[in-house]
Amino acid sequence: MRTSFAFVTALLVSLALLQACANPEAKQASRQAAQAEADAKDDATCREKGLSPGTEAYDACRNNLAQARTDEASAQERRRLEFQKTLGAGTSDYTGR
């Protein structure tokens, strides 16, 4: 009984470690899919405003949307780090990684 419990525990820990080392190709594919989705959404947003691809106004629209997304991601990361500090998970040299 004790041996089977140890085996199951070791198996669960091993599976958790494997999950932590997830397939880098899958992560890359996921990032690329998210980027393609954001590009399509930005294109649609700018076209709905009556802007045509290849014009300066369209390019400015796309750049503004990309910058807004970057700003939001940065703000979200700052909030996450502050939350970690609030929980006491960090130390003075906590980097959030």
Side-chain angles (χ1 to χ4, degrees):
M1 178 72 175
R2 202 169 186 124
T3 305
S4 63
F5 179 74
F7 176 75
V8 169
T9 302
L11 181 63
L12 290 175
V13 169
S14 298
L15 289 173
L17 290 173
L18 284 173
Q19 179 62 28
C21 300
N23 182 347
E25 290 84 13
K27 287 182 182 180
Q28 178 66 22
S30 177
R31 280 191 295 269
Q32 288 174 342
Q35 183 62 48
E37 183 179 333
D39 287 344
K41 183 177 177 184
D42 290 355
D43 178 64
T45 299
C46 293
R47 285 177 185 258
E48 286 174 2
K49 293 180 180 182
L51 304 174
S52 299
T55 63
E56 287 184 30
Y58 176 86
D59 292 341
C61 177
R62 292 290 302 265
N63 288 336
N64 289 339
L65 292 171
Q67 185 62 49
R69 196 171 31 261
T70 299
D71 292 347
E72 178 56 32
S74 295
Q76 186 175 0
E77 178 65 9
R78 283 191 303 277
R79 288 189 299 268
R80 187 188 69 77
L81 289 173
E82 287 301 316
F83 183 70
Q84 288 294 327
K85 289 177 186 176
T86 300
L87 292 177
T91 63
S92 61
D93 62 347
Y94 181 69
T95 63
R97 298 188 199 280

